[in-house]
Amino acid sequence: YSKSVTVVTVASKRNAELKALERSTQVAGVPLEVLGLGEPYSGHETKLRNYYHWLRSTSVPAGAVVALVDAYDILVAPSFAEIASRFTQFFNHPIVFAGERSLWPDNALEPFYAPTPGGSNLKFLNSGLLVGYAWALEFMLGTVLGYGAVATCGPDDQRSFHRFLLENPELATLDFDGVLFQTLHFLPTSFTISPTGDFVMPMNKSALKDPPRRNAQEFPCAVHGNGGDGKYAFARLLASWNEALAKKQHVPVEPPPFATGIYLYEQGDLAGAERAFLLATQSTSEPDQKVESMYNLGVVRQQLGFATEALHCYQRTLALEPAHIGAQLNMATILFAHGSHHEAKSIVSGIVLRDPSNELALKLQAEM
């Protein structure tokens, strides 16, 4: 079995997010294969088929270690060069998925997940980061692609991978301790960047009695900016990582517009943040990030006093994601301030009806 690793991703276009991933693999000194550039992306099955055909058509040895990663919200650390040795040292399964703290997209699967070792909160599968032997990945992808017509799996790759994991516990497991990967959704603390450019994540160390595992957990090989809050954490991490690159006299990567917008907003540069978020709405191809870019453009414009323009942004956000609570609340605030009291109260009442514990909605309702 190989002691090196090849990273493979699927992307239809080379945008700033992909360039960040490419730069991080260059710094780590690991090869990256980008599949599907310039080709139409028609959903998650496109990604799975690209992976599957690459494994079948290339001369990659059956025992090669291959990491499959999402294209637009992943960074690898210099420690990624160690992933093959960590994979073989700490795991007895031929496939390891990243773990995450929430079960998505189907909460009904929770009873099928066994309690995690040591009470880890990385207890559910994340399909944005996984590593395995080429033979096992090829078998898994062939199996998962066969789920396509089954209603319980549908077109979503994470749902399909949940099924494979639960039906094949001898072939696949999760990185419960975060010794390979960290996911940023519901992350209870913040990353820092070491002088070497590694991501430092001192989390759950006391639960691990094995010093090598503790050290590996503190320096994960890659991170995934999954989930709404994870995208903001990823933007901050990317800004810090760029600073670390500059200090080491590496050429920094051009940060994606969304990350730039978050950084400028937190620095108090609202005009700069507005320009960055506007560019992000025009350039990103990742659906969740397009939603958050449009929403944040509205937030900035609202704070700049451009109520009509902000309202338009919130309307476009809700057209993309009708359940976006932040956009609903901010839109209600603007409508109420401009005399549309009935419409504003109706929006807030709807939020409270669906979620009686929403403190922001309850507070706004009391103020109206």
Side-chain angles (χ1 to χ4, degrees):
Y1 286 110
S2 174
K3 294 184 179 180
S4 60
V5 63
T6 297
V7 185
V8 186
T9 192
V10 176
S12 57
K13 66 178 182 178
R14 180 171 278 111
N15 58 13
E17 288 81 7
L18 177 59
K19 290 177 182 177
L21 171 62
E22 290 175 323
R23 187 73 185 98
S24 68
T25 57
Q26 291 168 1
V27 172
V30 294
L32 172 67
E33 291 278 350
V34 182
L35 311 178
L37 281 174
E39 300 174 3
Y41 190 88
S42 55
H44 294 294
E45 189 175 344
T46 301
K47 177 173 69 174
L48 302 183
R49 290 198 179 280
N50 269 285
Y51 286 150
Y52 184 61
H53 291 319
W54 181 83
L55 286 163
R56 288 179 61 86
S57 63
T58 61
S59 57
V60 57
V65 177
V66 177
L68 306 180
V69 307
D70 283 356
Y72 298 134
D73 52 6
I74 302 291
L75 276 182
V76 309
S79 59
F80 202 92
E82 304 172 9
I83 195 169
S85 60
R86 292 190 190 186
F87 170 59
T88 55
Q89 178 182 0
F90 297 131
F91 298 94
N92 296 318
H93 291 72
I95 300 171
V96 178
F97 286 90
E100 67 179 37
R101 298 162 187 82
S102 60
L103 180 54
W104 186 89
D106 190 354
N107 287 328
L109 292 175
E110 185 165 4
F112 297 99
Y113 272 86
T116 56
S120 168
N121 60 3
L122 294 171
K123 56 186 178 179
F124 302 116
L125 177 146
N126 175 277
S127 63
L129 285 167
L130 63 144
V131 65
Y133 296 117
W135 68 265
L137 294 173
E138 182 180 332
F139 172 78
M140 178 184 68
L141 289 163
T143 303
V144 167
L145 285 166
Y147 296 159
V150 181
T152 53
C153 291
D156 188 271
D157 65 327
Q158 186 140 306
R159 179 178 283 122
S160 300
F161 284 131
H162 278 303
R163 176 178 173 181
F164 182 87
L165 174 75
L166 295 171
E167 291 182 352
N168 300 274
E170 75 286 357
L171 290 178
T173 189
L174 303 184
D175 181 14
F176 296 109
D177 294 327
V179 298
L180 303 177
F181 309 122
Q182 267 293 348
T183 51
L184 302 186
H185 189 36
F186 293 143
L187 187 71
T189 186
S190 298
F191 275 96
T192 56
I193 305 294
S194 76
T196 62
D198 281 304
F199 313 137
V200 184
M201 181 66 246
M203 176 185 167
N204 288 341
K205 289 171 61 179
S206 60
L208 297 175
K209 298 179 180 180
D210 180 3
R213 289 180 76 88
R214 283 204 309 271
N215 183 65
Q217 184 191 57
E218 189 172 7
F219 298 98
C221 297
V223 295
H224 182 195
N226 62 313
D229 61 322
K231 297 188 185 307
Y232 293 90
F234 184 76
R236 297 184 187 100
L237 178 66
L238 181 55
S240 299
W241 183 71
N242 259 325
E243 291 178 5
L245 286 186
K247 289 177 181 177
K248 291 182 65 179
Q249 297 183 334
H250 285 300
V251 177
V253 67
E254 178 186 354
F258 181 78
T260 301
I262 295 297
Y263 175 78
L264 293 175
Y265 179 81
E266 293 184 345
Q267 296 297 310
D269 183 356
L270 295 183
E274 182 191 21
R275 290 191 295 271
F277 286 130
L278 178 60
L279 181 58
T281 65
Q282 298 166 344
S283 62
T284 186
S285 59
E286 204 276 316
D288 289 344
Q289 196 161 101
K290 187 176 286 291
V291 169
E292 291 305 311
S293 298
M294 185 60 67
Y295 168 69
N296 279 282
L297 180 60
V299 170
V300 171
R301 287 179 169 174
Q302 186 174 357
Q303 292 186 19
L304 286 169
F306 304 138
T308 301
E309 292 83 351
L311 188 63
H312 179 64
C313 291
Y314 296 140
Q315 290 168 338
R316 292 186 64 185
T317 300
L318 292 170
L320 295 168
E321 186 179 314
H324 197 291
I325 299 298
Q328 292 179 42
L329 289 173
N330 288 354
M331 186 165 70
T333 300
I334 293 174
L335 290 171
F336 191 83
H338 287 77
S340 298
H341 295 173
H342 178 74
E343 186 177 357
K345 290 179 179 180
S346 177
I347 292 171
V348 176
S349 296
I351 296 172
V352 173
L353 183 64
R354 293 187 297 273
D355 181 10
S357 64
N358 189 302
E359 295 182 2
L360 290 176
L362 290 170
K363 182 175 183 293
L364 188 56
Q365 188 178 52
E367 293 172 352
M368 288 181 168

